[in-house]
Structure formats: structure tokens, C-alpha cells
Amino acid sequence: MRLSQMLFVTLREDPAEAEIPSHKLLLRAGYIRRIGSGIYAYLPLMWRVLQKVSQIVREEMNATGAQECLLPQLQPAELWQESGRWDTYTKAEGIMFSLVDRQEREMGLGPTHEEVITTVAREMIRSYRQLPTHLYQIQTKFRDEIRPRFGLMRGREFIMKDGYSFHATEDSLKETYQAMHQAYSNMFRRCGLAFRSVEADSGAIGGSGSNEFMILAEAGEDEVLYTEDGKYAANVEKAVSLPADAEPSAFTTYEKRETPGTDTIDKLCQFLKCSPTQIVKNVLYQAVYDNGTTVLVLINIRGDQEVNEVKLQNELVRQAGQFGAKTVIALTVPDATAQAKWATQALPLGYIAPDIADTYIHSEKNLAPKFLRLVDPTVAELKNFVTGANESGYHVVGANWGDQFQLPKLVVDLRKAKLGDRAVHDPSQTLQSARGIEAGHIFQLGTKYSKAMGATYTNEQGEEAPLIMGCYGVGVSRVAQAAVEQSYDKDGIIWPVAIAPYQAIVVIPNVNDAEQVKAAETLYSELNQAGIDTLLDDRNERAGVKFKDADLIGIPYRIVTGKSIKDGKVEVVQRSTKTVQELPLTEVVSTIQQWVNAACS
Amino acid sequence: MRLSQMLFVTLREDPAEAEIPSHKLLLRAGYIRRIGSGIYAYLPLMWRVLQKVSQIVREEMNATGAQECLLPQLQPAELWQESGRWDTYTKAEGIMFSLVDRQEREMGLGPTHEEVITTVAREMIRSYRQLPTHLYQIQTKFRDEIRPRFGLMRGREFIMKDGYSFHATEDSLKETYQAMHQAYSNMFRRCGLAFRSVEADSGAIGGSGSNEFMILAEAGEDEVLYTEDGKYAANVEKAVSLPADAEPSAFTTYEKRETPGTDTIDKLCQFLKCSPTQIVKNVLYQAVYDNGTTVLVLINIRGDQEVNEVKLQNELVRQAGQFGAKTVIALTVPDATAQAKWATQALPLGYIAPDIADTYIHSEKNLAPKFLRLVDPTVAELKNFVTGANESGYHVVGANWGDQFQLPKLVVDLRKAKLGDRAVHDPSQTLQSARGIEAGHIFQLGTKYSKAMGATYTNEQGEEAPLIMGCYGVGVSRVAQAAVEQSYDKDGIIWPVAIAPYQAIVVIPNVNDAEQVKAAETLYSELNQAGIDTLLDDRNERAGVKFKDADLIGIPYRIVTGKSIKDGKVEVVQRSTKTVQELPLTEVVSTIQQWVNAACS
């Protein structure tokens, strides 16, 4: 492609709308244009990157025997009602765009395709002899994000590969899951990205086990905890660890103490001169279930630890049955009004006791009508601990379970693992932390959707059984931007060779110099013939502008037909290292060819 | 691909939902599944066909210098309000799905992308030096069709290539338009389709000139009129012709005649023993404009001719200004209530006179408040004609313009051209008729969108001028189904080689015969290595079932490793002709290769 014939516009200034480097660079370099909140036009350079990422994804998927298809983006509400997700997705979380057609029928715009594929499978799969089978698609998806941001990172319209596998046995699912783990690792490696596979929370998709593939970058929205031995890595949402040991308590006798102005753990530690590991901290949340029930949740957790809200949300969903509900639609710390009220009345915030009973809560008419207490394992073994006295300005010290407070049966891990914690698999390893961009997520779904939607097959014994499912997603457009977030410098983007829109650019410093033009045209044509995607900067611009643009758009290899052309040589610059070398005209194609092959192997 | 590992399900019976052969066959052969009204899943075989069509489209577009991009499907309402199409598309015609996001902002789901591309162009194009430029995309589009039908032919979610070019001059637009005409002809030819380029109505897209590309097939929704000399072809919506000459009138004296029971042209001709070419027929329509104004439209047209409602609609839009409106949102024959009322009162249907005046209409309070009379050229030259007396049961004969009736200035072509009419370019040619499926449409848009949306550039004289635009669409999914509609037999689909999902299928009649299996595996592998997309039917099924399935899914070349394998030979069957021949194993790959090359050249 000749730049003179391309709609090629770069910006010298950072666009105001962009917050992170990759977003700024993609806008400045003319890869994308914003059309609406979280909605972008992919211009020709970007489209080429997306095609290259897609092709790598496609090749790795096909190699596993998965078959490409394309499912509709418009999805009838009935399918989502069958799976039980319509209300959650369109109302409670509101993540799915929905509309009514001219017949007043409700439809959603697909953020994911479990319902559609399960419908297809239930019609087509009859027998175990058709299993396993795996269909995937590369498609634009939609999510009505609360806060669209960072360009393609969290857009409302984005490109994904999503695949769905069907199995007769759990072993078969695990086999495909492992094959997908390998295929995903291959994809990200081939895209030239530094990434990490981590254990992940399965969230609203459901299922029994899942892994995320994180592209490592400072601007990543996710925190990853991992050990140096390579044996453990997890999203902080999911991570487990061994907390530091609690220090022995100095309070051997139970007593109530006046502790004025100690409504935080820090203040309390200072006042009592104790360690936070000796404190049972009592944290309040307010959960709203899908049937409208509001539940006040009290969590007992060690003073030095924080609540992991994803783990809490999952536990609250597991407890939904006792409140006649199916899922949680909102989880918040109690609002200011409630806090102000409680601080002066029944629930003295900062001084709450671990076992405020259901009846106690209910004695106050205006408080939440339902109550749930959850205990984190970190407090179960504490002896002679410090905790609230349930009276403003007072704590108790030297308390013990079974004596002053009861320990309920429900002890569940609600703790946020953190940097420096010891690893569960090997306490000699401590958790390290990194930021990552979630670019892939693979799930063992099990029978969640097939049971809900009646997708069964006849097994070898002639019985009807629900299909066992897996699902596997890659954020294609997110991968493209994440590559930039991982690889840029002050001058612009540094594309990995495998997914660069063009691998080489031939720059003519002076288009009025016939010798330069002739050499450039020859190289341009030879490089493309050799299968190297090459741009020709034949614009009537100053050489400096051209070099700046080539750096900004991040083409891996720049060939300049400058003054040394008289000696039959050109300057070749590698974008990533800025290494400059002179090469004889005759060696340019073979050299670039070697570099490309080495980079894409 | 091995059929044993593919989600491959064919149906023996025609699905009840399908009306036309191609729709039935695509469902039966497992290419598509219905997910909702006008919404289909493209299964792996179909996806391969769509990819092959897309690739041909892409190659032809790239060859013209157009650049591929991808624009958003979610389109902010503001853009469509700027162009003035939001109300028409979402309300009046309701063809665009619309929704509100969680911020209550309105958005549409793109049926077309003039607004989005014009927004991109207005931000990026500053100077004539950036022109011409042409961006295209291959993408899923949405239309909330009143009556989705015929599978992919008229779906609510479908795949299109749409391209938009920008120019500094009309000449430059015409040059690209011609290049597109050639590229489109190449595409359809390369897809192996019989097609015809025809003059077309520009409809709601607007602009000054357009051509449609019709894939010829009996089930086509469109009628095409053309001449044998190849010099004229048009969609019947747009077609012009010379009508048959009117017969001289026998009525030389004007008089009013009692003509009981002659409320149709046929009855009147019989009663008066005259030719319909001597009659001025007066046809009533009711038009509703976008500002709510209802207009009663009276058309004078020759008795043997019919009104072309597309031409009428276009004329009514041109007249919108006089009613303070912009466009027509409904055009109907007056409803039964109005007809019944008029028949007994002011407008005696079947006996209406050509010049019922505005004042006359207005004298009846309950009639339409606005009135428009349009005269077709076929009646302007009539002498001594027959027409209604505006009194039930009475006509007049021997009437003349200027004597009994006035001829207004507005004489416009509203006539439907038809089979057998004489051609305008050469009256010795008569119009022929064919059915077609509209698969491509190219438009010279002009400045309709750039003016409305303020997309200007600086021309060579340093002045701001609106960009001149063209737009060009291909229905990729429609092309795929149209190919089937054009090419099938009683046994199934007969794919053109260039867009067949697989070009060859190797069938093992008996998978328990080791020799058959070995030969088949070798051929399967050799064919794929030679670049021929090949299926292997290695299922444990009867040979008859396999042959039926191969015919049904329409793979061009079937290779059967049957009994003659003992003599080193296999049977090769060409799907289109059912020609069977025995070939030595060693010649199979080269022979198929030759056939494929010949078919795709």
C-alpha cells in the first residue's frame, strides 16, 4: 500500500479523551476513531492488525479440530429466559443491550453465546457418537458497560473469539480444556506477547473451573498474584494464600475496655498497642437479591485482612436459596444514611461485635429485614482476641470463641490474598504481584446451560443425559490494544512483527530524487512479492515527518532510500531497538525475510 | 475435514418453515439453523461458503485500491438525526432496530453506514490531496424487516460488504463508479453466477444514479426488464419503455353516456367496445407524509397501463415541500371505509373524472384535506378519449384536453414498464422479463450526506466544498443462498466450484475395508496438500447414505474408493453433470486440480 493513496492521518497531540498510552497512540497514529462512548471505528491499519490476530486465533483453533461458524448477534429473549439469565443480564446488571422489534418481541444483543449454541446443540446433537464437538466464531460482541474506557480495552462493541465444546464425559471436557489451554498459550506466544495463565473466578458465566490469560502491562485492570516457582498464578479475585501467622495475644483475660475514637483497625492497634492479627474485624455489607430482598451481611475477618468482594459475591449467590432468590444484583457497603443511623443506634460502626444476632438486628424496625453472618477462616483459630463490644467507644479484649462469642458452622474463605502472602502449595514461596489485561478466559461450564435448556444426548447406555460443556473466549480487539500497551516508547507504537499491520515500510526521503524513488519502488515491489506486507511512504512530505510517522505507527522494519543509494545501499532501522544499519540493496529482501521469519516462528 | 469429526446433520424431509428451494436445501443439508424470525446460525459448511464469497469480494475491492476497515454496528442516534434519517428509519419505516443504553441514550443497529463513514470522513479528510479515497467493510447488518422470509434472502441479520468513496469532482466519482461496476461484475463472475447489471431506483439511500446486480433465479423477488441487444436492462421499479401506440378513438363527438356496472377498465371496454388505449384511467392513492399530513393523490394514466408505485413514491417525495414535509411514510390505496364512503358520495370510484378539483374535494368535510393530481405522459396526447363522468354509472366519450378537461403542467412518468413494451433506445427491441435476486447495488450518492452532516474539504482553489460520495453494497450472505437458488437439482445443492465449502469429497463406501480406507486416506491427504479443500466421509454409514449426503451438500467433485480400487482405480463423479468416470489413483489429484483451476479462472 502506498501512503499517498491511503486515508492516513496522524495527530501530533495526545487526544484529550484517552487515558492510557495504548489508547492515545492508537488514536494519534490513525488506527481508530471514536464514534460514541465505548464505540470505535477500526480504520484500515487497525483492521489489518485485527485480521492478523484473528488469523493466528483461527489457525490455533482449527489445529485442535474446532470448527468455525457464525452465530447471530440478535438473540431472542426466550433463549435467555430459558437459561435464567435474561433478567440478570438486561435488568439487574444491565450488561446486555436489549430492544424490541416491530412485533414487540424482546431481543438482546449478544455479549456471549451460551444460549444460542446450546439451542443449536440441542437440535443437532442426539448421540454420544457425535461427541466431542467444538464450534467457535470470531465476532463483534456487545456489552453495555457501566464505564466504557481505555479505548478498545473496555468498549461497548468489541471483537471476540468464542468457542463452545460439548462432551459426553467430564474427562473429555478436561481433555479439550487442556487442549484449549495449550492453543491459547500458542496464540498469545505467536502474537508476540508476554502473558500469564492464571486461575480465575468464573463469574456470571458459571461452571466449575476457569483460567484467564493475562497480557502483562502496567495499565492492566486486573491484579495477578503468582509465585516465582511458576507453580501458582491467579487473578487476585480468585487467589488463595496463607496469611501471615497471628501474633500471640497479650490479653489473657477477657474484659471490656473503653477505647474512645478507635473506629478503625489502625487506631485501635495504636490505642491498645496490639497487632491487627489479634483483632476480629467485623465488616458490614448490604446485598440486594434478584427478588428484591435486602440482606445485611456481617463478615468476621482478621484485622490485618481485607474482604475479597468477588469471593463474597459468590458466597452470597450460593446462599441465595435461603432468601428465596437466585442471584445477587447489588452488593454495597451500607449507604451513608444507614451508616449514620446505625452509628448512633443498634449498630455502632467501628465497635460492632462478631455475633450481632438476627433477632438483635430485627429489634430495630428500620434496619435490613434479613441478616447473614459469614466467618473467614482467619478468625476461627484466634485465641484471646480483640473485637468490638457493640457499644460505641468500647471494645473487648481476651475474647474466645465458645466463651464470649459463638462460632457458626459457616466458615468460608472471603479473604483477599495479597502480595507477600505465603503460597498454599509451598509456604516457602511468597506471592508476587503483577498487573494484567484479561485477554482470554477458558471455562469448564459443566451442565449449567444444557440442564437449564434441556440439551441432552443419548449416552452409550442408551440413557438421556445433559451435554457437558466448555467455553473459551479471546478478546481479539483487546489483544490488539494490549499489544500496544505492552510495547511502545516515547515515539510511538512498537508492534510485535506477527501482528503489525505491515511488517516493513520503505521511506523515500525526497520524492523529487528519481534515484531514490526508483530504488524504493523496486524494493517495495520485491518485498511484497516476497510475502512481506510492505508500505511505501511516497508522500510529498519532509523526511522528518515521514520518519516520525513511521515510528508512530510502529512498523517493525523501516527501509530508507537515502543518500547512500549512490553506493547501492539503504538504511534499515529496526523499530524495537532503533538499531540502524546500512545494507546493500541486494540484501534487503533476504535480511527482512529472515528477521520476519525469526520473529514469527 | 473428516465428516466423522464434524457436527454434520442432514435432514431427509423438507423443513416446514422453508418456502423456496434454496432455503429448504440449506436447512436440510445442515448449512444453517433458524434461531429466530429472519435470524440464522451459519454452521461450519455455510461459514466456509461465506468466507469464500467474502474473499472474492475482498480481492476485487482491494484490486481497485479500496481499503478494508470495520465500522461500528451500534450507531448513536445523533448521527442519524444529523442526516435527517433517524425518524424515517426507526419510526416511519421502522427498518432500523433501535435501543436505549443504560444512560438512556438512543442508538440504532446499523442497516447501512453512510452516517458513520461521513463522520469519519469529516474528521479525517481536509484537503483535495487526500482524494479520492474509498473505505469498505464486510460486516453483519441489521434490518427489522416487515416480513422476513426465504432464509438468508430477506433476513433481519445478514452479512454485507459496503463501501464508501469520497471525491473532489463528479468525474472522479464516475470513474470509481465505473471501476466498481467492473469489480462487481468480476465478483459475480468469479462466484460462478449468472447475473445481470440493471438500472435501479436509488430509494431511501438517495443520490443521482444507481445500478443493481441481479442474480438470475425464478424465486427472485425482483423483476428485471431487458433487451436482447444487451443495451438496456433495468429493475421494473425503475424501467422505462415506449408503450404500445393508442388506437385511434371511434368517439368523435363528446357526450356523456350511461355505462352501468363498468367500474373496471375491462368492463368499460366491453360495454363501449373500445380499446383500453382510448381511456384515461383515474387512480386514487392515499399518501401520508412525515409531518402527519394525509394527501389524496389522483393519477391520470392510460387505461392499458399500470402505476409504478416506486416512481409514484419518488414523485411524492419530490412534492413533499408543498405540504411542508420531507418524505412519505405511507402510500396506500384508500382503505375500505374511505372507498365505501366515496363510492356513494363525492368520489364515485370507477367513474371518477380526470380533473376533480382541489375545491371539489374540499367541499366534502370528511375527505382528505390535501389533494395532488399527477398526469402520466401516456394520456397527454390522447384525443377523443373515454373517461369517468364523476357520476356513478356514467362515463364520457370523445373528450379532449383543453375542451372538457384541463391538463396541468405536472406531467411525470409514473408508468410501469412491462414485458413486450418497446425499448426507448431502439423501438425495434422489445422488453424481455426475468426474475432476479438483488445481490449488489452501487450508488452515486453525490453530496446528500456530506451536505447534511457538514463533511467538507478544501479544494484546489482553497475553498470549502462538500465531499462527493459514492456507495457500493454486496449482500454476501444473500449471494451465498442465491447461488443455491440458481443451481440445484432434485438431489440437492450444486455449488459453483469457487464458493463450494469444499471442492472435493472422498467417500469410503465401506469403512471396514482396509484397502478402501488406505486409498481414501492417501487421496484425502494428497488433495488437501495440493490446495484442494477436501472432505473425507469416513463415517460408519451405508454407502448409499454417504452418496445421498454428498449430493445433498453439493460438493463439486466426489471421489469414491470403491471396488475398482483393486485395479488401482477410483470413481470420480462431477456433481453438476453427474458424469461418472474411473480414474487411476495416480491421476486423481492432477485431474481435480485441473477442473478446479478451470472452474475458478
Side-chain angles (χ1 to χ4, degrees), chain B residues 19 134 246 260 285-286 399 487 533:
Chain B
E19 297 149 279
H134 185 168
Y285 278 90
Q286 196 170 265
S487 179
D533 296 330

Side-chain angles (χ1 to χ4, degrees), chain A residues 247-263:
Chain A
E247 292 182 26
S249 173
F251 307 104
T252 49
T253 315
Y254 176 75
E255 58 179 320
K256 178 173 163 184
R257 294 262 187 100
E258 188 171 2
T259 54
T262 60
D263 59 353

Side-chain angles (χ1 to χ4, degrees), chain B residues 86-247:
Chain B
W86 178 256
D87 285 343
T88 313
Y89 267 70
T90 62
K91 298 187 185 75
E93 296 178 359
I95 213 69
M96 181 156 73
F97 290 104
S98 64
L99 54 86
V100 291
D101 69 9
R102 63 164 77 234
Q103 317 288 355
E104 300 292 324
R105 285 176 299 217
E106 282 186 302
M107 291 192 287
L109 273 184
T112 180
H113 279 73
E114 284 81 8
E115 281 77 1
V116 171
I117 197 76
T118 305
T119 302
V120 170
R122 113 181 124 184
E123 289 179 17
M124 296 186 75
I125 302 176
R126 294 288 148 84
S127 156
Y128 70 93
R129 292 190 301 161
Q130 294 170 278
L131 299 173
T133 195
H134 185 168
L135 293 175
Y136 77 96
Q137 57 178 347
I138 298 175
Q139 186 191 54
T140 297
K141 298 259 188 276
F142 304 91
R143 280 176 69 95
D144 196 359
E145 291 285 353
I146 296 174
R147 224 177 321 134
R149 56 182 174 163
F150 303 151
L152 312 186
M153 291 292 193
R154 190 162 290 282
R156 299 201 295 170
E157 180 171 339
F158 52 95
I159 302 175
M160 275 198 71
K161 186 286 291 182
D162 51 325
Y164 306 87
S165 66
F166 297 89
H167 309 269
T169 65
E170 285 286 343
D171 281 350
S172 165
L173 168 61
K174 286 202 168 65
E175 200 174 300
T176 296
Y177 187 81
Q178 281 312 316
M180 281 302 110
H181 196 284
Q182 186 58 54
Y184 274 47
S185 301
N186 296 348
M187 280 173 205
F188 295 118
R189 181 186 52 71
R190 286 183 58 191
C191 286
L193 298 168
F195 69 98
R196 201 177 274 279
S197 158
V198 304
E199 289 179 16
D201 179 66
S202 298
I205 300 287
S208 60
S210 78
N211 267 71
E212 284 168 339
F213 289 79
M214 292 287 182
I215 296 176
L216 302 175
E218 270 313 304
E221 288 190 287
D222 286 286
E223 185 184 355
V224 167
L225 295 174
Y226 64 97
T227 54
E228 291 289 357
D229 66 2
K231 291 187 179 152
Y232 185 74
N235 190 315
V236 69
E237 292 177 354
K238 171 81 175 179
V240 293
S241 64
L242 301 174
D245 286 335
E247 291 181 26

Side-chain angles (χ1 to χ4, degrees), chain A residues 1 4-9 30 33-37 39-45 47-48 50-51 58 65-76 79 93-95 97-103 105 107 109 116 119-121 123-125 129-130 132-133 135 138-142 144-148 156-157 159 540-541, chain B residues 1 4-9 30 33-37 39-45 47-48 50-51 58 65-76 79 93-95 97-103 105 107 109 116 119-121 123-125 129-130 132-133 135 138-142 144-148 156-157 159 540-541:
Chain A
M1 191 76 205
S4 64
Q5 287 172 21
M6 195 165 158
L7 186 55
F8 181 73
V9 178
R33 284 268 160 176
R34 184 181 180 278
I35 301 297
S37 169
I39 298 173
Y40 290 84
Y42 307 118
L43 296 172
L45 286 176
W47 182 242
R48 292 182 67 92
L50 293 170
Q51 287 290 78
R58 183 173 283 132
Q67 295 167 74
E68 190 168 359
C69 66
L70 190 68
L71 302 172
Q73 295 173 304
L74 276 175
Q75 305 190 359
L79 300 184
E93 296 178 0
I95 213 68
F97 289 104
S98 64
L99 53 84
V100 291
D101 69 9
R102 62 164 77 232
Q103 317 288 356
R105 284 175 301 216
M107 291 193 287
L109 273 184
V116 171
T119 303
V120 170
E123 289 179 18
M124 295 187 73
I125 301 176
R129 291 191 303 163
Q130 293 170 278
T133 196
L135 293 174
I138 298 175
Q139 186 191 52
T140 297
K141 299 257 186 282
F142 304 91
D144 195 0
E145 292 283 353
I146 296 174
R147 224 178 320 136
R156 298 201 295 170
E157 180 172 338
I159 301 175
N540 188 9
E541 294 279 1
Chain B
M1 189 78 203
S4 64
Q5 287 172 20
M6 196 165 156
L7 187 54
F8 180 73
V9 178
R33 286 267 159 176
R34 183 181 180 277
I35 301 297
S37 170
I39 299 173
Y40 290 85
Y42 307 119
L43 296 173
L45 286 176
W47 182 241
R48 291 182 67 92
L50 294 170
Q51 287 289 80
R58 183 173 284 132
Q67 295 167 74
E68 190 168 359
C69 67
L70 190 68
L71 303 172
Q73 295 173 304
L74 276 175
Q75 305 189 0
L79 301 184
E93 296 178 359
I95 213 69
F97 290 104
S98 64
L99 54 86
V100 291
D101 69 9
R102 63 164 77 234
Q103 317 288 355
R105 285 176 299 217
M107 291 192 287
L109 273 184
V116 171
T119 302
V120 170
E123 289 179 17
M124 296 186 75
I125 302 176
R129 292 190 301 161
Q130 294 170 278
T133 195
L135 293 175
I138 298 175
Q139 186 191 54
T140 297
K141 298 259 188 276
F142 304 91
D144 196 359
E145 291 285 353
I146 296 174
R147 224 177 321 134
R156 299 201 295 170
E157 180 171 339
I159 302 175
N540 189 10
E541 293 280 1

